[in-house]
Amino acid sequence: MDDTAVLSGDAETSIAWLRTAEDECALDVEGFAPILPEVTKRMLDVVTAKYANQQQGLQAAFSILGDQWAKNNFPEIENDPSVLKEPFMSQRDATLILAQVRQDLLAALGDVPGQESYKQSVDGIMRTCLIKQLQNQPIQDAATLRSNVRDSIGGSLAAVWSEYPEIEARDLQRLRGMPLPQPLRAHVYYKQLGGDEVRDRYR
């Protein structure tokens, strides 16, 4: 995840467990194997149906799914990230097409058979990593512990929001009128008002 514009210092430390969980989930071959064939088929179906004849749309899919996926499924087409950059495409348009392709791929994976078992595996990994981080911190009073848990979870959610605007929009709608943990306030204020000074003031 690329969230360096929002997270640094203590905030980055508070989500160390999420980085570890990402790595462990990526290595969870046993948990992912049962749904891999269907996931692979659905992703290929989406890209073939919607973007196979659009150079920039296809490149957006390559950028999201990776070079190896591109070579396996479209070996005759060059993976050329430059087509999503100026002078071929503005940064704004590239961001929009990447978001659209990602949304289409996620929509196709919403009801993959067997995904509940994989979700449980991911939940277990993430829970274990968060608990380990909290256990490795100095002994704290209840209020400090609650604050650290909020910051860890809030910082992790801010990292997800930075990469997936559609999830951010959905979550902010649900959280309207509710108090936000500091990392989420920092993310929202930074995005709306801009500047490191604004972000740091609300950490």
Side-chain angles (χ1 to χ4, degrees):
M1 294 182 181
D2 182 12
D3 46 46
T4 53
V6 178
L7 300 174
S8 61
D10 292 341
E12 183 65 32
T13 300
S14 74
I15 67 167
W17 70 276
L18 180 62
R19 307 302 188 199
T20 302
E22 286 179 334
D23 292 341
E24 293 193 12
C25 286
L27 295 173
D28 185 20
V29 178
E30 182 178 348
F32 189 63
I35 64 173
L36 177 59
E38 182 65 18
V39 168
T40 301
K41 177 182 180 301
R42 292 192 183 199
M43 290 192 298
L44 182 58
D45 287 348
V46 168
V47 175
T48 300
K50 293 192 173 186
Y51 301 106
N53 296 319
Q54 301 178 28
Q55 182 185 21
Q56 290 164 328
L58 190 59
Q59 182 56 52
F62 290 173
S63 297
I64 293 169
L65 298 172
D67 186 61
Q68 191 58 55
W69 187 91
K71 289 178 179 177
N72 290 344
N73 295 285
F74 294 89
E76 72 286 359
I77 299 178
E78 180 185 3
N79 182 4
D80 182 9
S82 68
V83 303
L84 297 181
K85 300 177 182 179
E86 296 180 344
F88 305 106
M89 176 175 275
S90 69
Q91 182 177 358
R92 177 182 178 277
D93 288 343
T95 299
L96 289 174
I97 196 169
L98 284 165
Q100 182 60 56
V101 173
R102 183 182 290 112
Q103 182 177 333
D104 289 340
L105 291 169
L106 290 174
L109 301 178
D111 59 348
V112 173
Q115 66 174 300
E116 286 305 318
S117 295
Y118 181 60
K119 286 181 180 179
Q120 291 174 7
S121 178
V122 171
D123 288 346
I125 290 172
M126 297 186 72
R127 188 180 302 110
T128 298
C129 290
L130 176 58
I131 290 173
K132 284 182 178 179
Q133 175 164 310
L134 295 174
Q135 287 176 335
N136 289 333
Q137 293 177 350
I139 297 175
Q140 305 160 343
D141 58 53
T144 302
L145 180 60
R146 285 196 298 271
S147 176
N148 285 341
V149 171
R150 285 197 302 269
D151 286 350
S152 292
I153 295 175
S156 301
L157 187 54
V160 173
W161 285 1
S162 296
E163 188 163 348
Y164 299 99
E166 65 275 13
I167 295 178
E168 176 187 16
R170 181 200 65 192
D171 290 346
L172 286 176
Q173 185 65 32
R174 293 175 177 174
L175 293 169
R176 186 178 298 277
M178 298 174 62
L180 297 178
Q182 283 185 334
L184 296 186
R185 291 203 302 274
H187 170 84
V188 172
Y189 293 143
Y190 179 89
K191 185 173 182 180
Q192 297 299 323
L193 302 178
D196 293 341
E197 181 181 350
V198 171
R199 176 198 62 202
D200 294 338
R201 189 184 311 160
Y202 292 97
R203 278 202 169 138

